[in-house]
Structures are given as structure tokens and as C-alpha cells.
Amino acid sequence: MDKDEILLRSKNENRHGDEREMQNREKAESFGNWIVMVILFILALLADAGVVGGEVIINGRTFLFKDFAWLLGFIGLGCEFGAKFYYTRKLRWLLLCLLFTAGSIAITVTDSF
């Protein structure tokens, strides 16, 4: 291998950033996702306690605000775990995705949590 081939190979391997940058980006994205989920669940708990309330109308269907907050949290976590399963193919992520998807369906169908 000559110098140009080595540089080209290195450039192709690092086109998405070096390993440290990729790990830092993944950690930041994961942290951001979890913060959003925590805020949604705190909001849902406050709605359950009666601190915040109201109704949300989606496509002519009325949801209590607390049910809507729980629904958003469950959908978000279902998507998060579904993406993790897609990229890692680990069974635990699939099971968590199915659990939160079933919770989302249950909230939507029964209109109560």
C-alpha cells in the first residue's frame, strides 16, 4: 500500500467522525431522548395529581390531557426501543418496544390509563 491508498482508506473509515465523536454524539442523543421522556412522564404524573389538566382533541377524538401525556411517553419509548432493536438486533429492545406499543394501544383503545 502506498501513502495515498492508506489516506483514502482512513478517510473512508472516518467519514462519519472518529469513534470518540460518534460515541459522544450517541450519548448526547440518548441523553436528550431520556430527558424528553422524563419531562413527559413528570407532566403525566402532574396531570394524574390534578395539577394540570384539560382535554386534547385529535382527529375528532377527545383525550384527557393526562392520557395524552402518557400516550406520548409510551409512543416515544416504543420508538426509542424499536430503533435500538433495529440497530442492535437484541431481543430485550424488541420486548420493550412491544411492551410500550401495547401500552400505547391500550391507552388509545380504552381512553383511560
Side-chain angles (χ1 to χ4, degrees):
M1 282 188 151
D2 65 347
K3 180 181 175 183
D4 293 331
E5 288 178 18
I6 293 172
L7 288 174
L8 181 62
R9 183 182 226 178
S10 176
K11 182 179 178 182
N12 287 336
E13 287 176 358
N14 294 324
R15 70 175 177 248
H16 297 295
D18 67 359
E19 190 172 330
R20 182 176 173 201
E21 288 175 355
M22 289 172 46
Q23 287 176 349
N24 286 343
R25 185 175 54 239
E26 288 173 4
K27 285 179 185 178
E29 289 171 357
S30 179
F31 181 75
N33 292 340
W34 281 105
I35 292 298
V36 169
M37 290 299 122
V38 167
I39 290 171
L40 281 173
F41 284 119
I42 289 173
L43 191 62
L45 291 173
L46 289 174
D48 279 342
V51 176
V52 294
E55 294 180 345
V56 177
I57 300 172
I58 299 174
N59 198 25
R61 187 166 185 173
T62 304
F63 290 93
L64 291 176
F65 181 76
K66 68 176 186 168
D67 294 336
F68 182 69
W70 283 111
L71 179 64
L72 285 179
F74 274 49
I75 290 172
L77 285 173
C79 291
E80 170 87 15
F81 295 134
K84 284 183 179 181
F85 170 72
Y86 180 79
Y87 288 111
T88 64
R89 300 291 187 214
K90 296 201 177 190
L91 184 61
R92 68 175 177 243
W93 299 127
L94 176 62
L95 295 175
L96 285 169
C97 174
L98 293 175
L99 175 74
F100 282 101
T101 301
S104 301
I105 292 169
I107 290 171
T108 304
V109 171
T110 61
D111 282 339
S112 64
F113 185 68

